[in-house]
Amino acid sequence: MRSLRVLLLLLTTVTLSWSAPTVSAQREKRAISWVNPQITDMEGLEHKVLDSKSLGHDVGYAVWTPASYSDRGSRRYPVVYFLHGAGGTEASDSGGFSSRIASSIRKGKFPEAICVFPNGGMSGYRGEVESMIIDELIPMIDREYATKAEASGRVLAGFSMGGAGSVRLSLLHPELFCAAGSWGGALSRQGKGEDSPLLPAAKSSASSLKKNNFALLTINGDQDHPEGFSPLNKVLSSLTIPHKVVTLKDTQHNLGHYYDRSADTMIAFLAERLRGEKAHHDSMRTVRVLTIGNSFAENACKYLKNIAADGGVELVIGTANLGGCTLEKHAKLAKQSATDPDNKPYPFSKAGERRKLSLQDYLVADQWDYVTVQQMSALSFKPETFHPHIDQLVEIIRELAPNAKILIHQTWAYRPDSPLLKQWGMSQDEMHAGILQAYESVAKQFDAAIIPVGSAFHEVRTSPGRQVVVPDPNYDFDNPVHPQRPDQTNSLVAGWYWDVADDREPKLKLDFKHANEAGCYLAGLVWYESLTGNDAREITYAPHAVKEADREFLREVAHSVSRTRSPEPDQVR
């Protein structure tokens, strides 16, 4: 029997692949026992039989009710649905799991709740079994028991096939559950889960999941394919849906091992959700960065939080930015604030609170991991404009945020048709070369890493087929017709746009400085890899305005310029 049990557990490897042919093959190879009344003799635990229309035959299930249930009065109880692993039945884990819940209730660590144990056969909790649970069993439990019949009163948990099944059912039926917990489950045992249908399902269910304050907990042993959930974790991060990832050392694919090592973690998580306590993004690494800059820093950070969330990192961004602000002005404002506490030029917002801060206030407002500095774009290629102002700013940063690493935000050169380039008698390439030299000099002086956004822009602009043709030879600039604009294919900056105001005719104008959607995305990718050390090529998020055909190329460029200039962040968890 012991050998057979081990064999049954190992068969879970097959059932978790989400492959219908594999499950069909399993059904052909073994008979499923659908009704198993021999359950643990335990107070409150009963065996029941459902005449299932979905399955076309009887199916067993077990229900455990707490000691207070008989004297419940008008009280309603939340429900935990526990799904067994491959080779198990409704009887397999009902006694063990119920006894742990009962013990936690007695200790005040779990709300009084009902536990239900369906029989999933070898289904992977798909097809007819999925219909049986969702369309028959849950409604029947809500009719026959005093349940809290809403999403906030239902959670799923399970082991192996059941762990994966709990994740699957919760994402496909987000209106029914507020949490799912998985022990030893995975999206795939054969691949890495990138092609799982649960990834688009999570995206389409996002609004319902958020409405129900849904959270996910996955617990896997380090030899039990924890990477199988990585693609889903990235999707949930991008959607800001709380999920916690726990990886245990030396845990075999055995429910007893998971109970011994992590029962308290799972039960505490389910208790938290049933009590309506706020879930946290425990799986996400948090990085805190304060920017001292201007609109170019705002451009770079426009999509940075979304990009970082897609990579499993929560970005906290402080913005000591003022439009067109030079290093000289930042240093001057800091000097004034040192003697005048009312001099607070930088907007600050947190948890709905809006106020103004001085640079000194901002530097102590959080435990910043990084502080970035940059020169105003029109001066960025002139090394003499950096000093002594950047020296003064670095001194203040090191005094008030001594644990923060200083990063130099390398800005980008203007478009070739910029009137300022013409005025300076300078080409885009020459401006870029000057930017490189100036920023390299200050980075070396302060032993600081560079965020190479300017280099990324230059690599895109000089790649074959990526040059911007300016001016557009097919556009009549002398007689422009609103709302038509010149062809700006491949541009990374805003370029030509129509200035429309109520009191005058539309006027065609040129923004040769600020990044457009593609430029902001590229800059954000460079910042992401520079701040986290994560590979920008693995990011799946992209703003809708960035063409599908351009996204992979921009990620490749961001990675290629960032990999040799990383600020050597701590290893990402």
Side-chain angles (χ1 to χ4, degrees):
M1 287 298 293
R2 179 177 177 85
S3 298
L4 178 60
R5 177 62 176 168
V6 172
L7 176 61
L8 292 176
L9 288 171
L10 290 175
L11 282 171
T12 304
T13 297
V14 181
T15 66
L16 290 176
S17 67
W18 303 115
S19 168
T22 300
V23 174
S24 297
Q26 285 185 336
R27 286 174 173 170
E28 292 174 3
K29 290 180 179 179
R30 66 187 318 163
I32 305 301
S33 178
W34 288 108
V35 179
N36 304 272
Q38 294 78 28
I39 62 174
T40 301
D41 183 11
M42 175 182 172
E43 183 177 355
L45 185 62
E46 297 181 277
H47 185 269
K48 304 275 187 174
V49 177
L50 168 66
D51 178 12
S52 173
K53 303 299 186 294
S54 299
L55 292 173
H57 55 72
D58 287 349
V59 60
Y61 65 98
V63 179
W64 176 81
T65 53
S68 65
Y69 189 78
S70 59
D71 300 321
R72 63 187 177 277
S74 60
R75 185 175 182 180
R76 314 298 289 186
Y77 290 75
V79 183
V80 181
Y81 287 86
F82 188 92
L83 310 183
H84 64 77
T89 70
E90 74 274 24
S92 301
D93 308 315
S94 56
F97 187 79
S98 295
S99 64
R100 289 178 181 275
I101 294 297
S103 176
S104 296
I105 290 173
R106 289 194 298 270
K107 296 175 182 177
K109 295 182 178 181
F110 203 88
E112 302 238 334
I114 297 169
C115 296
V116 178
F117 303 87
N119 187 337
M122 296 289 290
S123 66
Y125 298 96
R126 291 162 293 176
E128 299 89 350
V129 167
E130 177 180 355
S131 298
M132 179 269 292
I133 292 173
I134 299 301
D135 300 328
E136 300 179 78
L137 181 61
I138 291 177
M140 186 190 67
I141 294 295
D142 287 339
R143 287 194 305 270
E144 297 186 1
Y145 290 83
T147 66
K148 184 180 179 182
E150 57 189 46
S152 63
R154 293 190 200 96
V155 295
L156 284 158
F159 167 65
S160 191
M161 181 185 79
S166 70
V167 178
R168 182 178 186 277
L169 295 183
S170 66
L171 295 181
L172 293 179
H173 305 280
E175 72 284 358
L176 294 178
F177 309 100
C178 66
S182 171
W183 268 308
L187 294 190
S188 174
R189 295 277 175 168
Q190 298 172 343
K192 294 184 179 180
E194 297 94 337
D195 59 349
S196 170
L198 293 189
L199 305 186
K203 294 178 181 178
S204 63
S205 299
S207 60
S208 294
L209 293 169
K210 291 182 179 181
K211 180 180 178 181
N212 293 329
N213 296 313
F214 178 82
L216 173 66
L217 169 63
T218 60
I219 303 178
N220 285 75
D222 54 4
Q223 302 301 314
D224 212 359
H225 303 281
E227 70 280 0
F229 278 112
S230 295
L232 178 60
N233 292 337
K234 290 181 65 175
V235 170
L236 295 179
S237 293
S238 69
L239 299 171
T240 65
I241 293 173
H243 59 288
K244 183 175 182 178
V245 178
V246 176
T247 302
L248 305 174
K249 292 184 178 180
D250 303 321
T251 297
Q252 300 175 22
H253 193 68
N254 179 290
L255 181 55
H257 284 253
Y258 280 99
Y259 274 158
D260 292 341
R261 305 284 296 283
S262 60
D264 289 346
T265 300
M266 179 66 75
I267 289 174
F269 167 77
L270 298 176
E272 172 188 87
R273 305 311 301 133
L274 291 178
R275 288 182 175 128
E277 296 171 9
K278 185 177 180 181
H280 302 285
H281 298 265
D282 293 332
S283 68
M284 299 177 71
R285 176 192 178 197
T286 300
V287 174
R288 293 172 169 81
V289 56
L290 173 63
T291 65
I292 303 175
N294 49 43
S295 57
F296 275 47
E298 299 286 344
N299 283 177
C301 296
K302 183 173 182 178
Y303 300 118
L304 181 56
K305 283 190 175 182
N306 291 27
I307 291 168
D310 185 57
V313 179
E314 181 183 14
L315 253 296
V316 176
I317 305 175
T319 53
N321 304 322
L322 298 172
C325 197
T326 63
L327 289 168
E328 181 178 8
K329 184 175 180 180
H330 281 299
K332 182 179 180 180
L333 290 170
K335 185 177 180 179
Q336 291 172 347
S337 297
T339 57
D340 180 5
D342 293 328
N343 186 61
K344 299 179 183 291
Y346 304 105
F348 175 81
S349 177
K350 185 176 183 180
E353 176 193 6
R354 295 178 181 274
R355 54 195 173 101
K356 292 285 191 85
L357 298 181
S358 67
L359 182 59
Q360 289 87 338
D361 292 334
Y362 236 135
L363 286 166
V364 298
D366 209 329
Q367 296 296 316
W368 305 110
D369 298 297
Y370 301 104
V371 177
T372 71
V373 290
Q374 65 168 85
Q375 178 59 293
M376 191 262 279
S377 61
L379 302 176
S380 58
F381 59 95
K382 298 179 178 181
E384 67 276 10
T385 67
F386 284 66
H387 305 284
H389 323 299
I390 194 168
D391 309 73
Q392 296 163 356
L393 291 172
V394 168
E395 182 179 355
I396 296 171
I397 294 167
R398 287 178 171 169
E399 176 187 356
L400 298 179
N403 296 321
K405 293 182 180 179
I406 297 173
L407 303 179
I408 307 299
H409 175 205
Q410 180 198 79
T411 55
W412 53 91
Y414 294 161
R415 266 176 56 134
D417 53 351
S418 162
L420 282 182
L421 288 180
K422 183 178 180 180
Q423 176 183 324
W424 298 333
M426 179 180 290
S427 68
Q428 184 185 75
D429 286 348
E430 289 171 332
M431 183 178 182
H432 173 66
I435 289 172
L436 288 185
Q437 182 179 1
Y439 281 117
E440 288 281 2
S441 176
V442 295
K444 183 177 181 180
Q445 176 184 345
F446 299 114
D447 192 25
I450 290 176
I451 306 177
V453 179
S455 295
F457 272 52
H458 188 71
E459 184 166 327
V460 171
R461 289 164 167 173
T462 56
S463 295
R466 293 281 173 172
Q467 290 81 7
V468 181
V469 178
V470 292
D472 178 4
N474 300 314
Y475 191 83
D476 187 354
F477 286 90
D478 294 328
N479 301 289
V481 177
H482 179 262
Q484 298 176 5
R485 295 188 301 165
D487 181 8
Q488 303 187 99
T489 302
N490 298 324
S491 180
L492 293 174
V493 301
W496 294 101
Y497 68 99
W498 285 96
D499 184 10
V500 180
D502 294 336
D503 58 348
R504 64 173 184 268
E505 291 293 320
K507 186 175 182 180
L508 186 67
K509 291 187 175 182
L510 174 63
D511 182 347
F512 51 85
K513 301 179 180 180
H514 298 104
N516 61 15
E517 305 300 316
C520 290
Y521 182 54
L522 175 61
L525 290 167
V526 175
W527 274 59
Y528 166 71
E529 183 154 339
S530 296
L531 292 172
T532 69
N534 290 356
D535 193 331
R537 296 173 299 179
E538 296 180 358
I539 294 299
T540 58
Y541 164 80
H544 294 300
V546 178
K547 296 178 182 178
E548 187 77 33
D550 293 338
R551 296 174 184 181
E552 184 176 353
F553 174 70
L554 295 177
R555 294 172 190 141
E556 287 284 352
V557 170
H559 174 69
S560 69
V561 302
S562 301
R563 58 185 173 180
T564 59
R565 293 177 174 272
S566 170
E568 300 179 357
D570 296 334
Q571 184 177 358
V572 176
R573 292 176 295 219

